[in-house]
Amino acid sequence: MVEDWKSYEPLLIPDIPNLHKIDVYEDNGGYEAFRTVLGDQDKWSRKNVTEEVKAANIRGRGGAGFNCGLKWSFMPEPDDRPRYLACNGDESEPGTFKDRNIFEFNPHLFIEGALIAAYAMSIDTIYVYVRGEYIDWVNKFEEAVEEAYEKGYIGNNILDSDFSVDLHTTYGAGAYICGEETGMLESLEGKRGYPRVKPPFPAQKGLWGNPTTINNIETLANVPLVINNGAEWYQSIGVEGHTGPVLYGISGHVNKPGVYEYPAGMPVMDLINDVAGGIRGGKKLKALIPGGASTPILRADQLEGVSMDSNSLREAGSMMGTAGMVVMDEDTDMVDLLWRITHFFHHESCGQCTPCRDGTGWLEKVMVKIKNGNGEIKDLDLLLDMTTMMEGRTICALADAAAWPVRHTITRFRDEFEARCKKSVHAVA
Amino acid sequence: MPEVFIDNERYEFEGDHMALQFILDQGMEVPFFCYHPSMSIPANCRQCMVKAGQYIKDDETGEYELDENGERKIRWFPKMQTSCALKLQDGMVIQTQETSEEAERAQKDTLELLLINHPLDCPICDQAGECPLQIQTYKYGPEGSRFEVKKVHKPKRVELGPRVTLDAERCINCTRCVRFTEEISETNQLTIVSRGDKNYPMTAPNQEFDDPYSMNTVDICPVGALTSTDFRFKARVWEMNQTPSIDITNGKGCNIDLWTRDNQVLRITPRQNKAVNDYWMPDEGRSAYELFNENRASRPSIKLDGSNQSNTSWNNAIETFAETIEAHSGDDVLVIGSPHASVEENYALNKFFNLLGASNARFTPHIIDGYGDGFLITDDQAPNTNGCRLLNLNETDHKDLATAISKAKVCIILSDNLVGRKVVAASDLGNTYTISFATNMTETAKASDLVIPITCVAEHAASYVNIDGRIQRSFPAKETKYTNRRLNLEMSEGRLDRYGTNFDNWVSEEHKVDCLPLWDFLNKLAERLGLDYHVNHSRTILAEISSAIPSFENVTFEKMDEQQGIQLNLDNQKIKQK
Amino acid sequence: MAEQELHFTDEELNEIEKIKAKFPTAKAATLRVLWVAQKKYGHVEPEVQALVAKTLDLPESHVHGVASFYTQYYKEEMGKFVLDVCTCLSCQLCGGYDVLHQIEDRLGIKAGETTDDGLFSVQEVECLGACGYAPMVQITNGVYANNLTEEKVDKLLENLKNGKMPEFESMVMRQNEKRIKAATE
């Protein structure tokens, strides 16, 4: 658990006005990492860059927490096929609103990270896919991309090296599933966002059948930090097994909601009480969803001594996800909350796989029944059984994401659910 | 050789295999809906779940690691696998529903989920009886449903195009139809619209699903979502007989099944043949069933006064025919074979009249240039053009045939609508005594002086050589006045044949056409003429062809049946018929 | 829609060419060209979808499948201002439904409907990624109105009626004190 967080100075979104402008970014050491790499390609061979990033163990900030450098190493050796980096700025998991801050306040850090990634994997085209609702942020980001092109950081023979890469920004049109990495690839190819069957994995057959790596925006923004300061330095931020700066998005019933940057492994209660100013209206904390809607909810009594890192959260019975923390006070109606979550996943299921397509709808309809006071105890058991019918049975993880909140909210707040159900008409033997 | 272990049995394999197809190839079963062997694998129905893992091999020794009981150690995959998309690896262990309760449970769960939004209207659904969803639900599904809330409602009775009707509520979103239009017919006319449980297949707005292969989507739809507009509500599957046959509407010779009830062909569906049509056929070939039922030549007819034909007896027809022959020399008789008729009919006719001194039969191909699509629709409108060529009939163009007709005193035409396809005009037949062997009352038959009704492809066993030189054969599917399903071992017997009686309202004598196989009629004619000609069956004709004409060497019905047709050598067309 | 044939102007076709140049296939431009079309016509009704298909030389069914998959495309004509009220998770917790009901009440329509004067449509939408600034509304796929209260919603409706769109609001991280200071100066 991180204790000295009060002295932490943000690295991903440092407190520098106008940092989104390329001159300001450069004045503050921007693009140094990229220059370093391109300037000394013996020291910073493609393999060495990948190794350094792998050693830093930047855990994917999109929710899965996979080692970024390790993912890069899955790319096959270059052949005559094009190679792609697809940057995932779809950010649609309820409770998550962090990447837009990078687009708005420090876009060049991300661009620099993406360029280094492209160099390391011999990629010739970078796509940045942003959710369609973020059109204002897309426009802001595209200004930054234009600046980077003008300054020669993107394009042909960058900084007089033999490295060339293009960066294209594009955006979706309203579909949570396009945040799933292969759903995003389909959307980038101009299709319905149906996640793909794996294998083959994107590194083998990604965009238009070519080698592709998919990284989250925040993940890539960490890369220049690693190059500038080394993997060892990066490993010193945060806690063992989960290091580096994290953008925590805190929302719900707190006094000061918003995005905050602190090391991984922040004490949960410090984030809620100190950073986010405690529960609104002096109420008591009831529960926390730690990393977006799909991560299992934790009761207040489960949060003692828990920190925001994957190990601690796993022990507590949840997951880090996107670090989008949704805080609930004592007045929160858990039945209503869970119904709305089931509504979300029902609405967003792409409809490809049977268990998800039909399961998410069934979950919501039973939740509506319970919410309206027409539920029976057996409906709770049905819901729990349905989570096992859905989990691990589909192409992508949306069914899992829909099942987990149901399972954990009901088991962790069972009394509240039973109280909403009709009394059994049968005498108990 | 690499090995896999399926339900505790060891199998060897070579090359790339997906588990589901491999299991099916071994004659075992795993339920599935979206998978189709000729299309891409979306793995979206999630029905073919199996438990899978890998025997652990020691990297150094290459030997399997054993546990304390001496059993091989297995590393199970963390999740259930869809077998359709599971590539076999050496040492893979697969447990299907037969040996794994988890797989059985997963399959049952998927079926319960598939059925919650399905209308369960099997009693009024055409697909019932041949419905994978229905069959697999009985075999692998839950006993009941726990679904007590409202189903999703979607469009019903949507005419997607001229031939296909959609009931979106029955759809299970397997995407087979969409993939068919993308990958097989390549018209891209269908897409899945909307999202989640509101998904269903649809055309673009204001567009018709008029794909020339549209009805294949009806065949591959694993539920009753896509049904044939024509066949809807006509018959239940279990009331019909299914007889293998060949599409006679073009030169491809698509392998088909004729579906009959009470001696009427009610629908035609494709029968798989990798070498010809795979699982598909053009929509055009499906409407051919009407030719087998309607406007048939039934009982001989004869022109007595001017242009009016009237029915006559078989005896009178034979007598008239014989007298006409006897009144003319062989040189006066023009025999016209037909690319629309079978190998056996063309051979028998030609041989018969050769014996009477007539010169070799002519035929004229029925080609419409540019009609074909390079897939299953061909320029050739006839099923047996190459058969006529290999029999060495005299291939004649339209003009020469018309000239020959104008010179002949007697013209004998084997089921070919020469008038209808504008080779000659009806009036051109007026100067010659025209005898038509006809299956249907075409313009040509109507213009003829004597019409001998003969059996069609649905009523006899006979072979046809397609544009690629493949010889394939038909089976009798419907009875004529003179055949009997129970006595003819070649004919299949359905439930109604076995248990129905003539007093049942589904049996009608009228559906039996009063016609004879060409060779049977020729037997009778030979007897009257005192000609040494007799064949028992098309089988014996083919045996004779096979020994007489090298192109047909070793060709038998049995071999055709075993190999789904036989490829003939098309280069060898020079042998003259005796 | 009018019978006359729809078409893109040269300027729009230029923009479409630029979009196509980003990708190796024309199909990949489908989403973006639907956006261009929606910007022009205010919706992607069937005729507009057909125009997109024709422009990109793609099957209409493909464009239709895509248009119907993504929620931001208006499959029918909408009001001049489309109020997308987020009611998902954090917004639910922070009064998203109050905002929705208030708007429904003020405009006299239900979610999914358009006012008779064609000025407003209201929709209940899923998470828009503004969870820390809940409750919030997105206006016609554009600007976000954050941290709404009853007064702010009324003011917003009033402004929109007068044709005044809210301005983009920069939500600076509370830790970035210098930035906040710079922004307020």
Side-chain angles (χ1 to χ4, degrees):
Chain A
M1 192 177 294
V2 176
E3 277 159 13
D4 54 348
W5 56 268
K6 285 195 171 125
S7 60
Y8 178 84
E9 296 277 338
L11 300 160
L12 297 171
I13 305 181
D15 190 7
I16 303 167
N18 293 320
L19 190 58
H20 64 283
K21 298 208 166 106
I22 199 161
D23 297 338
V24 180
Y25 182 70
E26 284 176 327
D27 289 348
N28 287 277
Y31 286 109
E32 264 319 303
F34 188 41
R35 283 178 182 280
T36 305
V37 166
L38 287 191
D40 189 354
Q41 292 194 28
D42 291 333
K43 183 179 173 220
W44 292 105
S45 67
R46 292 170 196 291
K47 187 160 178 285
N48 287 353
V49 173
T50 305
E51 285 305 316
E52 192 69 25
V53 173
K54 195 158 115 187
N57 190 10
I58 307 171
R59 306 199 52 163
R61 305 295 200 243
F66 196 78
N67 181 330
C68 171
L70 187 59
K71 199 176 199 177
W72 292 3
S73 70
F74 295 156
M75 283 290 270
E77 282 300 307
D79 49 26
D80 55 355
R81 292 183 292 169
R83 296 157 75 84
Y84 298 104
L85 173 65
C87 306
N88 189 342
D90 194 63
E91 180 153 88
S92 306
E93 176 83 12
T96 312
F97 54 110
K98 61 187 182 67
D99 292 337
R100 51 180 261 188
N101 291 273
I102 296 174
F103 291 135
E104 186 177 344
F105 300 116
N106 202 3
H108 291 290
L109 181 67
F110 156 66
I111 294 172
E112 189 178 0
L115 291 169
I116 294 167
Y119 166 79
M121 292 180 279
S122 304
I123 274 158
D124 36 67
T125 309
I126 302 169
Y127 286 107
V128 181
Y129 182 95
V130 187
R131 63 179 305 182
E133 294 87 344
Y134 279 1
I135 187 67
D136 282 341
W137 288 271
V138 170
N139 292 334
K140 286 175 192 302
F141 177 67
E142 283 198 310
E143 283 172 27
V145 172
E146 210 161 295
E147 283 182 329
Y149 260 108
E150 279 165 15
K151 287 260 183 173
Y153 291 116
I154 317 176
N156 288 330
N157 298 100
I158 298 165
L159 305 175
D160 297 324
S161 72
D162 58 354
F163 177 59
S164 303
V165 69
D166 268 316
L167 188 152
H168 300 296
T169 312
T170 193
Y171 47 93
Y176 166 72
I177 196 60
C178 295
E180 198 278 344
E181 58 176 20
T182 56
M184 186 184 79
L185 297 186
E186 288 287 299
S187 188
L188 265 170
E189 291 185 13
K191 304 182 205 157
R192 298 162 59 81
Y194 279 179
R196 296 178 181 174
V197 180
K198 289 174 272 186
F201 292 93
Q204 270 77 44
K205 283 182 90 175
L207 279 172
W208 299 285
N210 300 310
T212 304
T213 290
I214 300 139
N215 284 138
N216 171 262
I217 305 299
E218 184 188 343
T219 309
L220 287 169
N222 277 274
V223 169
L225 307 179
V226 171
I227 299 300
N228 281 332
N229 305 291
E232 209 171 308
W233 167 85
Y234 190 85
Q235 284 278 300
S236 72
I237 305 168
V239 294
E240 202 186 334
H242 210 139
T243 55
V246 169
L247 294 175
Y248 296 98
I250 309 180
S251 64
H253 299 141
V254 289
N255 280 311
K256 295 194 286 178
V259 172
Y260 296 90
E261 184 188 329
Y262 284 104
M266 279 287 285
V268 167
M269 293 316 295
D270 286 3
L271 278 169
I272 296 172
N273 289 329
D274 298 337
V275 173
I279 307 297
R280 287 199 316 210
K283 296 235 163 82
K284 280 199 209 120
L285 173 69
K286 181 172 185 177
L288 170 76
I289 294 174
S294 60
T295 57
I297 193 167
L298 294 167
R299 286 191 314 265
D301 62 80
Q302 292 176 293
L303 294 174
E304 272 314 307
V306 174
S307 58
M308 285 297 288
D309 59 85
S310 40
N311 289 334
S312 177
L313 282 165
R314 189 180 336 106
E315 279 166 33
S318 190
M319 291 180 294
M320 179 81 166
T322 59
M325 303 165 66
V326 183
V327 181
M328 284 152 273
D329 71 16
E330 57 191 313
D331 295 339
T332 308
D333 183 327
M334 288 299 154
V335 176
D336 275 13
L337 178 91
L338 181 60
W339 156 69
R340 191 61 185 75
I341 292 174
T342 58
H343 174 77
F344 172 78
F345 287 109
H346 179 202
H347 187 266
E348 298 299 337
S349 170
C350 79
Q352 238 193 140
C353 304
T354 304
C356 181
R357 178 185 63 240
D358 289 310
T360 51
W362 195 359
L363 288 176
E364 187 193 352
K365 286 170 184 173
V366 175
M367 278 310 301
V368 168
K369 189 177 158 192
I370 295 170
K371 178 169 99 86
N372 292 342
N374 299 320
E376 297 165 70
I377 302 293
K378 69 166 191 184
D379 290 325
L380 299 179
D381 300 325
L382 173 64
L383 286 170
L384 293 176
D385 195 45
M386 276 157 60
T387 63
T388 63
M389 293 166 72
M390 294 168 65
E391 189 186 352
R393 303 265 181 92
T394 48
I395 291 172
C396 82
L398 193 143
D400 302 1
W404 294 331
V406 172
R407 180 180 305 153
H408 296 291
T409 312
I410 292 178
T411 49
R412 288 173 186 168
F413 295 92
R414 177 100 190 182
D415 291 354
E416 219 171 299
F417 282 84
E418 289 191 358
R420 275 290 259 288
C421 289
K422 284 193 286 198
K423 294 281 174 289
S424 171
V425 292
H426 302 289
V428 178
Chain B
M1 196 180 283
E3 51 184 4
V4 285
F5 300 84
I6 303 167
D7 291 339
N8 307 321
E9 291 284 331
R10 179 178 176 278
Y11 299 88
E12 291 186 339
F13 69 98
E14 270 182 303
D16 286 348
H17 291 275
M18 292 300 183
L20 176 59
Q21 188 60 53
F22 187 81
I23 289 168
L24 298 172
D25 290 344
Q26 310 308 312
M28 298 180 292
E29 184 175 273
V30 168
F32 65 92
F33 297 106
C34 68
Y35 174 74
H36 191 286
S38 289
M39 298 194 291
S40 60
I41 301 175
N44 63 27
C45 76
R46 318 306 286 175
Q47 185 58 55
C48 64
M49 293 277 186
V50 294
K51 190 179 173 186
Q54 198 78 31
Y55 280 133
I56 304 171
K57 257 187 188 164
D58 190 308
D59 282 344
E60 281 170 22
T61 62
E63 298 291 314
Y64 289 117
E65 288 182 27
L66 304 177
D67 64 12
E68 56 270 25
N69 300 323
E71 301 281 333
R72 288 174 184 174
K73 282 193 208 164
I74 302 172
R75 188 187 297 115
W76 293 108
F77 299 153
K79 293 176 183 177
M80 285 284 162
Q81 301 290 313
T82 43
S83 54
C84 63
L86 178 65
K87 202 165 160 189
L88 294 189
Q89 306 281 352
D90 190 22
M92 187 175 268
V93 185
I94 294 171
Q95 293 188 345
T96 71
Q97 70 282 356
E98 299 297 322
T99 51
S100 159
E101 276 181 31
E102 288 161 81
E104 192 186 348
R105 165 80 208 253
Q107 293 174 7
K108 189 156 86 173
D109 288 347
T110 301
L111 277 162
E112 182 173 16
L113 287 159
L114 279 173
L115 293 174
I116 64 171
N117 285 315
H118 187 82
L120 301 171
D121 57 348
C122 310
I124 56 153
C125 178
D126 274 298
Q127 186 83 344
E130 57 178 0
C131 175
L133 182 61
Q134 190 183 42
I135 294 164
Q136 293 180 161
T137 298
Y138 275 114
K139 290 176 89 164
Y140 306 106
E143 283 167 27
S145 176
R146 295 172 290 175
F147 187 79
E148 295 174 349
V149 281
K150 271 192 181 163
K151 287 178 191 281
V152 178
H153 289 297
K154 296 181 193 180
K156 297 175 88 75
R157 297 175 294 277
V158 183
E159 292 198 359
L160 283 185
R163 297 174 292 275
V164 178
T165 302
L166 166 73
D167 182 323
E169 289 186 348
R170 292 177 185 156
C171 174
I172 59 167
N173 275 288
C174 72
T175 68
R176 274 180 168 189
C177 53
V178 176
R179 282 177 284 142
F180 177 85
T181 67
E182 286 172 359
E183 299 167 19
I184 308 295
S185 71
E186 296 177 355
T187 61
N188 293 294
Q189 286 188 340
L190 295 180
T191 180
I192 298 287
V193 294
S194 194
R195 199 163 79 188
D197 60 9
K198 295 183 187 73
N199 269 1
Y200 59 89
M202 200 61 209
T203 58
N206 313 321
Q207 288 216 332
E208 266 202 316
F209 184 39
D210 56 0
D211 186 318
Y213 295 90
S214 68
M215 292 174 81
N216 292 288
T217 61
V218 173
D219 302 331
I220 57 176
C221 179
V223 294
L226 297 177
T227 51
S228 156
T229 308
D230 177 67
F231 179 69
R232 254 161 91 81
F233 307 131
K234 271 195 190 160
R236 311 269 20 180
V237 176
W238 54 88
E239 295 172 339
M240 295 188 289
N241 301 26
Q242 182 183 7
T243 309
S245 195
I246 301 300
D247 179 11
I248 47 106
T249 59
N250 72 30
K252 192 71 189 177
C254 287
N255 290 207
I256 57 169
D257 279 313
L258 301 178
W259 294 79
T260 53
R261 186 188 61 185
D262 186 22
N263 291 308
Q264 280 194 308
V265 184
L266 297 181
R267 71 167 177 182
I268 294 173
T269 56
R271 180 166 48 91
Q272 197 228 351
N273 186 339
K274 270 259 173 259
V276 181
N277 55 310
D278 203 5
Y279 295 87
W280 326 115
M281 73 179 291
D283 289 359
E284 279 180 341
R286 301 193 192 231
S287 50
Y289 77 89
E290 288 167 353
L291 296 173
F292 309 144
N293 301 334
E294 289 160 28
N295 191 32
R296 289 295 301 273
S298 189
R299 288 200 78 191
S301 46
I302 191 165
K303 259 187 206 169
L304 293 173
D305 52 335
S307 61
N308 286 338
Q309 277 178 350
S310 54
N311 282 129
T312 185
S313 69
W314 282 100
N315 281 341
N316 191 39
I318 292 164
E319 193 55 37
T320 309
F321 205 137
E323 284 168 7
T324 308
I325 298 295
E326 284 164 346
H328 293 88
S329 75
D331 293 345
D332 296 336
V333 179
L334 173 66
V335 182
I336 305 173
S338 171
H340 290 280
S342 65
V343 169
E344 290 81 356
E345 288 167 300
N346 276 294
Y347 178 86
L349 184 76
N350 192 30
K351 184 187 169 192
F352 186 93
F353 286 97
N354 283 169
L355 289 174
L356 290 170
S359 54
N360 209 24
R362 295 171 183 254
F363 81 100
T364 189
H366 189 177
I367 311 281
I368 301 177
D369 284 331
Y371 192 85
D373 64 356
F375 184 35
L376 300 177
I377 298 172
T378 59
D379 287 355
D380 196 339
Q381 305 296 299
N384 196 33
T385 309
N386 277 329
C388 293
R389 287 178 181 144
L390 291 174
L391 289 170
N392 279 302
L393 299 198
N394 187 353
E395 186 167 345
T396 310
D397 66 19
H398 289 189
K399 204 169 130 235
D400 290 351
L401 191 68
T403 313
I405 290 171
S406 69
K407 286 181 184 156
K409 298 218 168 77
V410 177
C411 183
I412 295 168
I413 302 172
L414 174 58
S415 51
D416 194 343
N417 188 6
L418 296 171
V419 176
R421 64 177 171 111
K422 307 248 167 15
V423 178
V424 290
S427 56
D428 296 338
L429 297 176
N431 307 322
T432 167
Y433 192 83
T434 309
I435 303 174
S436 270
F437 290 103
T439 56
N440 292 74
M441 287 311 289
T442 60
E443 292 100 316
T444 310
K446 282 179 190 155
S448 300
D449 298 287
L450 177 64
V451 180
I452 308 298
I454 55 168
T455 49
C456 70
V457 66
E459 288 149 338
H460 60 220
S463 27
Y464 302 82
V465 183
N466 79 356
I467 50 163
D468 303 313
R470 191 178 189 85
I471 186 165
Q472 315 181 95
R473 73 123 162 177
S474 67
F475 288 79
K478 60 196 286 273
E479 296 169 296
T480 67
K481 277 260 186 292
Y482 310 103
T483 57
N484 187 313
R485 208 170 268 285
R486 296 183 195 195
L487 300 178
N488 185 341
L489 295 180
E490 274 198 302
M491 297 186 82
S492 63
E493 249 194 330
R495 192 167 151 268
L496 293 189
D497 303 316
R498 236 167 285 156
Y499 306 115
T501 74
N502 285 358
F503 304 104
D504 292 329
N505 60 7
W506 59 68
V507 175
S508 168
E509 277 298 313
E510 281 176 28
H511 297 161
K512 295 182 183 174
V513 178
D514 191 355
C515 63
L516 286 172
L518 173 75
W519 45 88
D520 277 359
F521 179 82
L522 294 177
N523 283 345
K524 291 177 198 290
L525 188 59
E527 203 176 308
R528 160 64 183 76
L529 290 168
L531 193 68
D532 181 22
Y533 174 95
H534 188 86
V535 288
N536 290 320
H537 189 275
S538 51
R539 185 187 306 276
T540 51
I541 303 176
L542 186 65
E544 191 182 322
I545 297 170
S546 167
S547 60
I549 303 176
S551 297
F552 292 91
E553 207 176 340
N554 294 324
V555 172
T556 63
F557 279 176
E558 286 67 29
K559 207 167 147 197
M560 278 188 243
D561 296 347
E562 277 162 24
Q563 302 175 9
Q564 285 195 297
I566 302 164
Q567 185 62 43
L568 305 181
N569 185 357
L570 280 186
D571 302 332
N572 190 4
Q573 286 181 38
K574 298 200 176 98
I575 308 302
K576 295 282 169 209
Q577 205 180 344
K578 273 191 278 183
Chain C
M1 281 208 65
E3 284 292 302
Q4 75 197 61
E5 194 137 322
L6 306 181
H7 69 276
F8 285 123
T9 62
D10 288 346
E11 201 180 328
E12 287 154 352
L13 288 172
N14 261 338
E15 190 185 347
I16 289 167
E17 282 310 309
K18 276 191 199 139
I19 293 167
K20 280 165 77 178
K22 288 171 183 269
F23 307 104
T25 66
K27 189 178 252 185
T30 307
L31 271 75
R32 293 291 298 274
V33 177
L34 277 165
W35 274 119
V36 174
Q38 177 151 308
K39 197 169 119 200
K40 177 180 174 113
Y41 295 105
H43 57 77
V44 292
E45 284 186 355
E47 295 81 355
V48 180
Q49 295 176 20
L51 172 68
V52 170
K54 200 177 93 186
T55 308
L56 290 173
D57 193 21
L58 293 170
E60 282 184 41
S61 64
H62 165 75
V63 175
H64 183 51
V66 170
S68 66
F69 186 84
Y70 296 92
T71 52
Q72 285 193 285
Y73 297 128
Y74 302 142
K75 268 68 83 179
E76 54 190 65
E77 224 164 312
M78 304 288 272
K80 184 176 173 198
F81 302 108
V82 182
L83 305 175
D84 285 346
V85 186
C86 178
T87 57
C88 187
L89 198 57
S90 308
C91 281
Q92 176 197 21
L93 293 172
C94 297
Y97 279 101
D98 294 338
V99 171
L100 177 69
H101 297 148
Q102 186 191 342
I103 292 174
E104 286 177 333
D105 188 50
R106 299 290 195 272
L107 298 178
I109 53 171
K110 291 278 168 211
E113 294 175 353
T114 302
T115 52
D116 290 339
D117 59 7
L119 203 54
F120 292 103
S121 298
V122 185
Q123 302 188 118
E124 181 184 351
V125 300
E126 300 307 317
C127 182
L128 292 171
C131 317
Y133 326 113
M136 57 79 65
V137 167
Q138 179 172 28
I139 297 140
T140 325
N141 287 328
V143 71
Y144 283 19
N146 303 297
N147 293 319
L148 293 174
T149 59
E150 196 174 339
E151 295 76 47
K152 281 172 94 171
V153 170
D154 282 338
K155 185 81 195 153
L156 173 71
L157 292 176
E158 187 62 39
N159 283 341
L160 289 173
K161 275 178 195 160
N162 296 325
K164 196 171 157 234
M165 285 284 269
E167 301 216 338
F168 176 83
E169 212 178 341
S170 216
M171 308 307 281
V172 183
M173 247 176 28
R174 284 174 211 262
Q175 281 160 291
N176 286 179
E177 285 163 10
K178 282 182 226 150
R179 284 179 191 256
I180 294 172
K181 206 165 151 242
T184 48
E185 268 165 11

